[in-house]
Amino acid sequence: MSTSLAEDSSLPERTRCVLHIGAPKTGSTALQHFLTQRREHLANAGFVYPSSIERGFGQHDLAFLTGGGYPEWATPQTESIGALLERLRQELDIRPGAHLILSSENFYWLSNPTSVRDMLDTLGYTPDSVAVVVYIRRQEDAIESWYNQLVKALGYSASFEQSIDDYDDLWDYEDRLAQWAKVFGRQRVVVRLYPDEPNFDVCRDFTALLGISTVGLESADCKANPRLVRDLLEFQRVINRLPLPTPEKRRYHKQLIRLSAEAATLGLDDTPLHTKASRCVIRKRYAAGNRFVANTYFGREELFPLDPAGHDDAVPPLHSAQRNWRQYSLGC
C-alpha cells in the first residue's frame, strides 16, 4: 500500500480498518450487496466484512448510533452500541489479523466523526490504522438522485427546490471531508470519484482499492437501489403528505419500483427534475469548495471532468445571495 492519495488505487500504509462512509447516492447499496455476496472471497484475501451486525447489507446501526440515534424513518433495534461491538469483536476473534471493512453511507450523512473514532478505538483501531473511503459525485447529479431517495424511501414530501435548501450542507464536500480529516488525518481520507458513466463499476473500483484481484470476480447483477420515474415519484410524494409513519408510507414501494421498470411501455413521464439553469446554480454554489478538494486530494484545479451533457457551457454569474435556491433555481 502507498501513502499516495487521489487516483492511486491503494490504501494508506498500515491500514487495518477500511471505513466506507458513502457518500449517499454513489452506489453504496450495490457495493454493500456485493461485499455481502463475496464474504468468502474477502476472507480468503484477509478481510472481514462482518455479518454479525449487518442491517440491509451494511453496518448502518453503527452509523445511526454514532450519530446520536435512529432517525424517524429507520426502524430501531434494541441493542446498545456496546452490545453490537461485542458481537463484532467475537466475529473478529475468529479471524485474528484480518482487516475489517465497515460500510454505511449513513456514516457520511449522520455520524459524528469523533464518535466513530471513539467507537473504532474500543475495537483497537487507532486513527492511523483506519482508511476512511468516500466516493463523491458531481453535486447536481447527486442532488437529483438524493431527492428520488428522499421521496421514495424516507417519507419526504417537499418539493425538489425545497430539498436543495434542506440538504445544502450534505453536498459541501470541502466541509464534510474536513470534518473526517480533522479526526482521522488528511492522509487517512481516501477520496474516489463516482462518475455518472455506464461503464463505471464501484464494486470493482473498491475491490481494486483493497488490493484484491478482480479477475473472475463478478459484480452484483441487480441494480441494488432502483429509482422511481418522475410520475411515480410525484405519486409517492402525495402519499408522503399523509399523517402516517414512514414505514406505512412505503406500502407500495415494490409495486412502484416494478412500474418504474416498465415506464416506457406505460407512457410514464420521466423528465429530469433539473433544468440547465438549476444545474448551473448548483455548480456555482459548490465551485470554490470543489476546487479546494481537487487541489487537496487530487493535485489539480477541477474536481470533476466537463459535464458530458454539455451543462458546463456558459455558466453565468450569480447574485450574492447564493443560498436562496428557490430564488435562483428558475433562472441562472
Side-chain angles (χ1 to χ4, degrees):
M1 300 181 189
S2 78
T3 56
S4 175
L5 297 171
E7 292 161 326
D8 179 32
S9 293
S10 58
L11 296 170
E13 293 285 353
R14 301 182 301 280
T15 294
R16 295 174 47 236
C17 173
V18 181
L19 178 70
H20 168 243
I21 66 171
K25 310 316 299 176
T26 58
S28 297
T29 303
L31 176 59
Q32 291 152 10
H33 186 244
F34 172 81
L35 295 173
T36 299
Q37 289 183 322
R38 305 303 189 274
R39 273 202 176 96
E40 184 176 351
H41 186 93
L42 292 168
N44 291 337
F47 292 90
V48 171
Y49 187 62
S51 60
S52 59
I53 56 171
E54 181 182 302
R55 174 192 181 104
F57 306 124
Q59 289 73 47
H60 304 299
D61 288 308
L62 294 184
F64 293 145
L65 293 172
T66 52
Y70 290 87
E72 181 274 333
W73 49 264
T75 303
Q77 53 81 45
T78 58
E79 287 187 279
S80 67
I81 191 169
L84 292 173
L85 293 178
E86 181 55 35
R87 277 203 273 136
L88 178 54
R89 283 191 196 93
Q90 293 174 11
E91 185 172 359
L92 291 171
D93 286 345
I94 298 173
R95 295 185 180 274
H99 294 66
L100 173 64
I101 302 173
L102 297 175
S103 176
S104 174
E105 61 275 25
N106 294 305
F107 283 123
Y108 175 96
W109 179 21
L110 299 173
S111 292
N112 181 315
T114 300
S115 297
V116 175
R117 179 200 62 195
D118 294 344
M119 173 195 72
L120 292 175
D121 191 62
T122 67
L123 294 170
Y125 300 104
T126 55
D128 62 356
S129 69
V130 177
V132 179
V133 178
V134 56
Y135 286 84
I136 58 175
R137 181 179 182 182
R138 186 188 289 271
Q139 280 99 338
E140 55 267 37
D141 295 324
I143 284 169
E144 184 157 353
S145 183
W146 178 240
Y147 181 70
N148 200 288
Q149 180 72 11
L150 287 172
V151 175
K152 177 186 71 174
L154 305 185
Y156 191 78
S157 62
S159 68
F160 177 57
E161 290 79 13
Q162 182 62 50
S163 75
I164 297 174
D165 258 344
D166 290 346
Y167 293 94
D168 171 61
D169 66 333
L170 188 64
W171 311 109
D172 186 342
Y173 297 138
E174 179 186 10
D175 179 67
R176 290 280 174 155
L177 296 178
Q179 294 177 41
W180 290 92
K182 181 179 179 180
V183 173
F184 287 90
R186 184 179 65 81
Q187 295 290 327
R188 310 307 300 185
V189 178
V190 180
V191 183
R192 310 288 290 176
L193 297 186
Y194 182 87
D196 279 84
E197 299 173 359
N199 62 343
F200 178 74
D201 187 334
V202 68
C203 304
R204 284 188 173 276
D205 188 85
F206 187 79
T207 305
L209 189 64
L210 298 179
I212 300 174
S213 172
T214 59
V215 176
L217 194 63
E218 297 299 324
S219 297
D221 294 330
C222 64
K223 185 176 177 61
N225 195 4
R227 58 185 289 279
L228 296 183
V229 298
R230 184 166 181 167
D231 269 347
L232 298 178
L233 191 70
E234 184 59 26
F235 175 80
Q236 180 64 63
R237 190 162 79 98
V238 172
I239 292 176
N240 291 348
R241 294 175 187 152
L242 300 175
L244 298 171
T246 300
E248 283 295 306
K249 295 175 182 178
R250 294 196 292 259
R251 178 180 298 181
Y252 301 108
H253 178 79
K254 291 183 179 179
Q255 293 94 325
L256 294 178
I257 292 296
R258 178 176 55 78
L259 290 172
S260 288
E262 303 170 5
T265 303
L266 297 172
L268 297 174
D269 178 35
D270 197 23
T271 306
L273 296 167
H274 267 309
T275 63
K276 184 172 182 177
S278 66
R279 289 178 69 90
C280 76
V281 171
I282 297 298
R283 192 176 309 110
K284 198 74 172 179
R285 155 68 179 96
Y286 298 108
N290 284 358
R291 282 193 292 271
F292 179 86
V293 172
N295 184 264
T296 302
Y297 291 96
F298 295 91
R300 64 190 189 216
E301 288 299 312
E302 297 300 323
L303 182 56
F304 299 107
L306 289 178
D307 189 341
H311 297 299
D312 287 311
D313 299 334
V315 177
L318 290 181
H319 301 291
S320 59
Q322 293 183 16
R323 297 175 75 93
N324 189 340
W325 297 108
R326 282 163 291 184
Q327 179 180 353
Y328 295 112
S329 62
L330 299 179
C332 186

CSV table of all heavy atoms in Angstrom, one decimal, residues 148-149 151-153 225-237 252-261 263 269-270:
chain,number,residue,atom,x,y,z
A,148,ASN,N,-34.9,11.7,-5.2
A,148,ASN,CA,-35.6,10.5,-5.5
A,148,ASN,C,-35.6,9.5,-4.3
A,148,ASN,O,-36.6,9.0,-3.9
A,148,ASN,CB,-35.0,9.8,-6.7
A,148,ASN,CG,-35.9,8.8,-7.4
A,148,ASN,OD1,-36.2,7.8,-6.9
A,148,ASN,ND2,-36.4,9.2,-8.6
A,149,GLN,N,-34.4,9.4,-3.7
A,149,GLN,CA,-34.3,8.6,-2.5
A,149,GLN,C,-35.2,9.1,-1.3
A,149,GLN,O,-35.8,8.3,-0.6
A,149,GLN,CB,-32.9,8.4,-2.1
A,149,GLN,CG,-32.6,7.6,-0.9
A,149,GLN,CD,-32.8,6.1,-1.1
A,149,GLN,OE1,-32.9,5.7,-2.3
A,149,GLN,NE2,-32.8,5.3,-0.1
A,151,VAL,N,-37.9,10.9,-1.3
A,151,VAL,CA,-39.3,10.7,-1.5
A,151,VAL,C,-39.7,9.2,-1.6
A,151,VAL,O,-40.6,8.8,-0.9
A,151,VAL,CB,-39.8,11.4,-2.8
A,151,VAL,CG1,-41.2,11.1,-3.1
A,151,VAL,CG2,-39.5,12.9,-2.8
A,152,LYS,N,-38.9,8.5,-2.2
A,152,LYS,CA,-39.1,7.0,-2.4
A,152,LYS,C,-39.1,6.3,-1.1
A,152,LYS,O,-40.0,5.4,-0.9
A,152,LYS,CB,-38.1,6.4,-3.4
A,152,LYS,CG,-38.2,4.9,-3.6
A,152,LYS,CD,-37.0,4.4,-4.4
A,152,LYS,CE,-35.7,4.5,-3.7
A,152,LYS,NZ,-34.6,3.9,-4.4
A,153,ALA,N,-38.1,6.5,-0.2
A,153,ALA,CA,-37.9,5.7,0.9
A,153,ALA,C,-37.9,6.4,2.3
A,153,ALA,O,-38.1,5.7,3.3
A,153,ALA,CB,-36.5,5.0,0.8
A,225,ASN,N,-30.4,-0.3,-5.8
A,225,ASN,CA,-31.3,0.7,-5.3
A,225,ASN,C,-32.0,1.5,-6.5
A,225,ASN,O,-31.7,2.6,-6.7
A,225,ASN,CB,-30.5,1.7,-4.5
A,225,ASN,CG,-31.3,2.6,-3.6
A,225,ASN,OD1,-32.6,2.5,-3.6
A,225,ASN,ND2,-30.7,3.5,-2.9
A,226,PRO,N,-32.9,0.8,-7.1
A,226,PRO,CA,-33.5,1.4,-8.3
A,226,PRO,C,-34.4,2.7,-8.0
A,226,PRO,O,-34.9,2.8,-6.8
A,226,PRO,CB,-34.4,0.3,-8.9
A,226,PRO,CG,-34.7,-0.6,-7.7
A,226,PRO,CD,-33.5,-0.5,-6.9
A,227,ARG,N,-34.5,3.6,-8.9
A,227,ARG,CA,-35.2,4.8,-8.7
A,227,ARG,C,-36.6,4.8,-9.2
A,227,ARG,O,-37.0,3.8,-9.9
A,227,ARG,CB,-34.5,6.0,-9.4
A,227,ARG,CG,-34.3,5.7,-10.9
A,227,ARG,CD,-33.5,6.8,-11.6
A,227,ARG,NE,-34.1,8.0,-11.7
A,227,ARG,CZ,-35.0,8.3,-12.6
A,227,ARG,NH1,-35.4,7.5,-13.5
A,227,ARG,NH2,-35.6,9.5,-12.6
A,228,LEU,N,-37.4,5.7,-8.8
A,228,LEU,CA,-38.8,5.9,-9.3
A,228,LEU,C,-38.7,6.9,-10.5
A,228,LEU,O,-38.0,7.9,-10.4
A,228,LEU,CB,-39.7,6.4,-8.3
A,228,LEU,CG,-40.0,5.5,-7.0
A,228,LEU,CD1,-41.0,6.1,-6.1
A,228,LEU,CD2,-40.4,4.1,-7.5
A,229,VAL,N,-39.5,6.7,-11.5
A,229,VAL,CA,-39.7,7.7,-12.6
A,229,VAL,C,-40.5,8.8,-12.1
A,229,VAL,O,-41.1,8.8,-11.0
A,229,VAL,CB,-40.3,7.1,-13.8
A,229,VAL,CG1,-39.4,5.9,-14.4
A,229,VAL,CG2,-41.7,6.6,-13.5
A,230,ARG,N,-40.4,9.9,-12.8
A,230,ARG,CA,-41.0,11.2,-12.2
A,230,ARG,C,-42.4,11.1,-11.9
A,230,ARG,O,-42.9,11.6,-10.8
A,230,ARG,CB,-40.7,12.3,-13.2
A,230,ARG,CG,-41.2,13.7,-12.7
A,230,ARG,CD,-40.6,14.8,-13.6
A,230,ARG,NE,-41.0,16.1,-13.0
A,230,ARG,CZ,-40.5,17.3,-13.4
A,230,ARG,NH1,-39.5,17.3,-14.3
A,230,ARG,NH2,-40.9,18.4,-12.9
A,231,ASP,N,-43.3,10.5,-12.8
A,231,ASP,CA,-44.7,10.4,-12.5
A,231,ASP,C,-45.0,9.7,-11.2
A,231,ASP,O,-45.8,10.1,-10.3
A,231,ASP,CB,-45.4,9.7,-13.6
A,231,ASP,CG,-45.9,10.7,-14.7
A,231,ASP,OD1,-45.9,11.9,-14.4
A,231,ASP,OD2,-46.3,10.2,-15.8
A,232,LEU,N,-44.3,8.5,-11.0
A,232,LEU,CA,-44.5,7.7,-9.8
A,232,LEU,C,-43.9,8.4,-8.6
A,232,LEU,O,-44.3,8.2,-7.4
A,232,LEU,CB,-44.0,6.3,-10.0
A,232,LEU,CG,-44.6,5.6,-11.2
A,232,LEU,CD1,-44.0,4.2,-11.4
A,232,LEU,CD2,-46.1,5.4,-10.9
A,233,LEU,N,-42.8,9.1,-8.8
A,233,LEU,CA,-42.2,9.9,-7.6
A,233,LEU,C,-43.2,10.9,-7.1
A,233,LEU,O,-43.3,11.0,-5.9
A,233,LEU,CB,-40.9,10.6,-8.1
A,233,LEU,CG,-40.1,11.2,-7.0
A,233,LEU,CD1,-39.4,10.1,-6.2
A,233,LEU,CD2,-39.0,12.1,-7.6
A,234,GLU,N,-43.9,11.5,-8.0
A,234,GLU,CA,-44.9,12.5,-7.6
A,234,GLU,C,-46.1,11.8,-6.8
A,234,GLU,O,-46.6,12.3,-5.9
A,234,GLU,CB,-45.4,13.3,-8.8
A,234,GLU,CG,-46.4,14.4,-8.4
A,234,GLU,CD,-45.9,15.4,-7.5
A,234,GLU,OE1,-44.6,15.6,-7.4
A,234,GLU,OE2,-46.6,16.1,-6.7
A,235,PHE,N,-46.5,10.6,-7.3
A,235,PHE,CA,-47.5,9.8,-6.6
A,235,PHE,C,-47.1,9.5,-5.2
A,235,PHE,O,-47.8,9.7,-4.3
A,235,PHE,CB,-47.7,8.5,-7.4
A,235,PHE,CG,-48.7,7.6,-6.8
A,235,PHE,CD1,-50.1,7.8,-6.8
A,235,PHE,CD2,-48.2,6.5,-6.1
A,235,PHE,CE1,-50.9,6.9,-6.2
A,235,PHE,CE2,-49.1,5.6,-5.5
A,235,PHE,CZ,-50.5,5.8,-5.5
A,236,GLN,N,-45.8,9.1,-5.1
A,236,GLN,CA,-45.3,8.7,-3.7
A,236,GLN,C,-45.2,10.0,-2.9
A,236,GLN,O,-45.5,9.9,-1.7
A,236,GLN,CB,-43.9,8.1,-3.8
A,236,GLN,CG,-43.2,7.7,-2.5
A,236,GLN,CD,-44.0,6.6,-1.8
A,236,GLN,OE1,-44.1,5.5,-2.3
A,236,GLN,NE2,-44.5,7.0,-0.6
A,237,ARG,N,-44.9,11.1,-3.4
A,237,ARG,CA,-44.8,12.4,-2.7
A,237,ARG,C,-46.2,12.8,-2.1
A,237,ARG,O,-46.3,13.3,-1.0
A,237,ARG,CB,-44.2,13.5,-3.5
A,237,ARG,CG,-43.9,14.8,-2.8
A,237,ARG,CD,-43.0,15.6,-3.6
A,237,ARG,NE,-43.7,16.4,-4.6
A,237,ARG,CZ,-44.1,17.7,-4.4
A,237,ARG,NH1,-43.8,18.3,-3.3
A,237,ARG,NH2,-44.6,18.3,-5.4
A,252,TYR,N,-46.4,0.8,-0.9
A,252,TYR,CA,-46.5,0.5,-2.4
A,252,TYR,C,-45.1,0.5,-3.0
A,252,TYR,O,-45.0,0.6,-4.2
A,252,TYR,CB,-47.4,1.5,-3.1
A,252,TYR,CG,-48.8,1.5,-2.5
A,252,TYR,CD1,-49.3,2.5,-1.8
A,252,TYR,CD2,-49.7,0.4,-2.7
A,252,TYR,CE1,-50.6,2.5,-1.3
A,252,TYR,CE2,-50.9,0.4,-2.2
A,252,TYR,CZ,-51.4,1.5,-1.5
A,252,TYR,OH,-52.7,1.4,-0.9
A,253,HIS,N,-44.1,0.4,-2.2
A,253,HIS,CA,-42.7,0.6,-2.7
A,253,HIS,C,-42.4,-0.4,-3.8
A,253,HIS,O,-41.9,0.0,-4.9
A,253,HIS,CB,-41.7,0.4,-1.5
A,253,HIS,CG,-40.3,0.5,-1.9
A,253,HIS,ND1,-39.6,1.7,-2.2
A,253,HIS,CD2,-39.3,-0.5,-2.2
A,253,HIS,CE1,-38.4,1.4,-2.5
A,253,HIS,NE2,-38.2,0.1,-2.6
A,254,LYS,N,-42.6,-1.7,-3.6
A,254,LYS,CA,-42.3,-2.7,-4.6
A,254,LYS,C,-43.1,-2.5,-5.9
A,254,LYS,O,-42.5,-2.7,-7.0
A,254,LYS,CB,-42.5,-4.1,-4.0
A,254,LYS,CG,-41.5,-4.5,-2.9
A,254,LYS,CD,-41.7,-5.9,-2.4
A,254,LYS,CE,-40.7,-6.3,-1.3
A,254,LYS,NZ,-41.0,-7.6,-0.8
A,255,GLN,N,-44.3,-2.2,-5.7
A,255,GLN,CA,-45.2,-2.0,-6.9
A,255,GLN,C,-44.7,-0.8,-7.7
A,255,GLN,O,-44.6,-0.9,-9.0
A,255,GLN,CB,-46.6,-1.8,-6.5
A,255,GLN,CG,-47.3,-3.1,-5.9
A,255,GLN,CD,-47.2,-3.1,-4.4
A,255,GLN,OE1,-46.2,-2.6,-3.8
A,255,GLN,NE2,-48.2,-3.6,-3.8
A,256,LEU,N,-44.3,0.2,-7.1
A,256,LEU,CA,-43.8,1.4,-7.8
A,256,LEU,C,-42.5,1.2,-8.5
A,256,LEU,O,-42.2,1.7,-9.6
A,256,LEU,CB,-43.7,2.6,-6.8
A,256,LEU,CG,-45.1,3.1,-6.2
A,256,LEU,CD1,-44.8,4.3,-5.3
A,256,LEU,CD2,-46.0,3.5,-7.3
A,257,ILE,N,-41.6,0.4,-7.8
A,257,ILE,CA,-40.4,0.1,-8.5
A,257,ILE,C,-40.6,-0.8,-9.7
A,257,ILE,O,-40.0,-0.5,-10.8
A,257,ILE,CB,-39.5,-0.7,-7.5
A,257,ILE,CG1,-39.0,0.2,-6.3
A,257,ILE,CG2,-38.3,-1.3,-8.2
A,257,ILE,CD1,-38.1,1.3,-6.7
A,258,ARG,N,-41.5,-1.7,-9.6
A,258,ARG,CA,-41.8,-2.6,-10.8
A,258,ARG,C,-42.4,-1.7,-11.9
A,258,ARG,O,-42.0,-1.9,-13.1
A,258,ARG,CB,-42.8,-3.7,-10.4
A,258,ARG,CG,-43.2,-4.6,-11.5
A,258,ARG,CD,-44.1,-5.7,-11.0
A,258,ARG,NE,-45.3,-5.2,-10.3
A,258,ARG,CZ,-46.4,-4.7,-10.9
A,258,ARG,NH1,-46.5,-4.6,-12.2
A,258,ARG,NH2,-47.4,-4.3,-10.1
A,259,LEU,N,-43.3,-0.8,-11.6
A,259,LEU,CA,-43.9,0.0,-12.6
A,259,LEU,C,-42.9,1.0,-13.2
A,259,LEU,O,-42.9,1.3,-14.4
A,259,LEU,CB,-45.1,0.9,-12.0
A,259,LEU,CG,-46.3,0.1,-11.6
A,259,LEU,CD1,-47.3,1.0,-10.9
A,259,LEU,CD2,-47.0,-0.5,-12.9
A,260,SER,N,-41.9,1.4,-12.4
A,260,SER,CA,-40.9,2.3,-13.0
A,260,SER,C,-40.0,1.6,-14.0
A,260,SER,O,-39.6,2.2,-15.0
A,260,SER,CB,-40.0,2.8,-11.8
A,260,SER,OG,-40.7,3.8,-11.0
A,261,ALA,N,-39.8,0.3,-13.8
A,261,ALA,CA,-39.1,-0.5,-14.7
A,261,ALA,C,-39.8,-0.6,-16.1
A,261,ALA,O,-39.2,-0.9,-17.1
A,261,ALA,CB,-38.8,-1.9,-14.2
A,263,ALA,N,-41.8,1.8,-17.3
A,263,ALA,CA,-42.2,3.2,-17.5
A,263,ALA,C,-42.4,3.5,-19.0
A,263,ALA,O,-43.4,4.1,-19.4
A,263,ALA,CB,-41.3,4.2,-16.9
A,269,ASP,N,-44.1,9.7,-17.5
A,269,ASP,CA,-43.2,10.8,-17.6
A,269,ASP,C,-41.9,10.6,-16.8
A,269,ASP,O,-42.1,10.2,-15.6
A,269,ASP,CB,-43.8,12.1,-17.3
A,269,ASP,CG,-42.9,13.3,-17.4
A,269,ASP,OD1,-42.0,13.3,-18.3
A,269,ASP,OD2,-43.0,14.2,-16.5
A,270,ASP,N,-40.8,10.8,-17.3
A,270,ASP,CA,-39.5,10.7,-16.5
A,270,ASP,C,-38.6,11.9,-16.9
A,270,ASP,O,-37.4,11.7,-17.0
A,270,ASP,CB,-38.8,9.4,-16.7
A,270,ASP,CG,-37.8,9.1,-15.6
A,270,ASP,OD1,-37.9,9.7,-14.5
A,270,ASP,OD2,-36.9,8.3,-15.9
